[in-house]
Amino acid sequence: MTAWLAALTAITQREALRFIGQRGRFVAALVRPMLWLVVFAAGFRAALGLSITPPYATYTTYEVYIVPGLCGMILLFNGMQSSLSMVYDREMGSMRLLLTSPLPRWWLLVCRLLASTAISILQVYVFLALAAMFGIRFSWGGYAALLPALIPAGLMLGALGMALSSVIRQLENFAGVMNFVIFPMFFLSTALYPLWKMAESSALLRDICAVNPFSQAVELIRFALYQQLNTAALAWVLLSGLVWLGLAVWGYDPARGLIRKAAKPG
């Protein structure tokens, strides 16, 4: 158990030092959602009317509606950024060296996942502090209730990035992942539009958004900000996270996974 905790501490410190050294990454993680909040929301405020749907007890502005989706955006993009760094580590040899540790492979991946999620949660709270400066505030109880929701949501999206990193063989392929995984997952969700609004356009799009795990993560965050628990969203997030973590462990298993395939010549 001491060795397991030592591995968790070392990996967390390594990720924290890397994050501190990459200040541009921190700024970019905040600039992206702030642009959506200040510019995008202002442009669509008059065009998108929002009805009273749970967890809202009254009419709400569009800026308030998209804040949970932007929190999910931070978790999603940081999870993908973490997957990019894992591809780099694997090419440079540090990740392969780490995976040769006598500790279970799944525990090493979980340590990396926990460290990445902790950094994502920190970024979310900094974003919420900036949003409060623009008048978008929630109750203190909502901020406290948000933490238990961010943990499973961040772990799920981080596990997705980890599973994808076992597929990506070269850094150049990361752009393709951005186009074919991240952006569809973000736009085909409830991050920007409620389900009933999507149903007005297409019943198929509405169904896709409903089953999108990212939508469930966003709704889990949305309800938590109003001190409510969305049990269906929590169950879907936990199930998706376990599936993607299992795929990541399998993908990084040199005996069966994709690491072995990537190492083969040709």
Side-chain angles (χ1 to χ4, degrees):
M1 183 60 66
T2 302
W4 288 35
L5 292 177
L8 175 60
T9 302
I11 293 176
T12 302
Q13 290 178 346
R14 182 173 181 270
E15 288 300 302
L17 291 174
R18 171 182 290 178
F19 179 74
I20 294 173
Q22 297 175 348
R23 298 181 181 179
R25 173 182 168 185
F26 179 72
V27 173
L30 296 177
V31 169
R32 187 185 301 111
M34 288 304 300
L35 283 176
W36 282 83
L37 182 63
V38 176
V39 179
F40 183 86
F44 281 82
R45 182 188 300 119
L48 295 174
L50 299 177
S51 63
I52 302 176
T53 56
Y56 305 109
T58 182
Y59 288 100
T60 183
T61 62
Y62 186 65
E63 296 95 304
V64 174
Y65 175 83
I66 66 171
V67 165
L70 297 179
C71 292
M73 172 195 280
I74 294 174
L75 297 177
L76 176 63
F77 277 79
N78 192 71
M80 296 303 108
Q81 185 71 27
S82 178
S83 74
L84 174 62
S85 65
M86 290 191 71
V87 175
Y88 176 81
D89 287 346
R90 193 177 67 220
E91 288 188 353
M92 298 301 294
S94 58
M95 176 55 65
R96 189 178 297 274
L97 180 62
L98 178 64
L99 294 176
T100 59
S101 166
L103 292 172
R105 186 177 302 270
W106 65 267
W107 174 247
L108 297 173
L109 295 176
V110 167
C111 290
R112 179 67 179 266
L113 183 59
L114 290 172
S116 173
T117 302
I119 293 174
S120 298
I121 292 175
L122 173 63
Q123 292 174 337
V124 168
Y125 275 104
V126 173
F127 164 71
L128 290 175
L130 294 176
M133 297 174 59
F134 287 86
I136 304 176
R137 299 181 178 89
F138 301 91
S139 67
W140 288 108
Y143 290 125
L146 178 62
L147 180 59
L150 289 176
I151 293 174
L155 291 174
M156 180 198 70
L157 296 172
L160 170 61
M162 188 173 291
L164 291 175
S165 70
S166 67
V167 179
I168 304 172
R169 300 187 180 184
Q170 296 178 344
L171 292 174
E172 292 78 7
N173 296 335
F174 187 74
V177 175
M178 290 283 290
N179 293 328
F180 293 104
V181 176
I182 300 178
F183 290 127
M185 178 172 282
F186 177 71
F187 287 109
L188 292 175
S189 72
T190 58
L192 302 179
Y193 321 101
L195 285 178
W196 65 266
K197 201 71 175 178
M198 299 297 293
E200 292 180 353
S201 173
S202 168
L204 177 60
L205 286 179
R206 188 267 177 199
D207 294 338
I208 294 175
C209 292
V211 300
N212 183 356
F214 181 69
S215 291
Q216 304 303 323
V218 170
E219 293 308 305
L220 183 64
I221 294 171
R222 190 186 311 281
F223 276 73
L225 283 170
Y226 293 89
Q227 303 180 57
Q228 300 180 35
L229 174 61
N230 190 327
T231 54
L234 177 60
W236 193 241
V237 166
L238 292 176
L239 177 61
S240 301
L242 289 174
V243 170
W244 286 333
L245 179 59
L247 290 175
V249 173
W250 178 84
Y252 275 94
D253 188 344
R256 300 187 300 272
L258 296 171
I259 296 296
R260 181 186 181 188
K261 299 177 181 179
K264 290 182 178 180

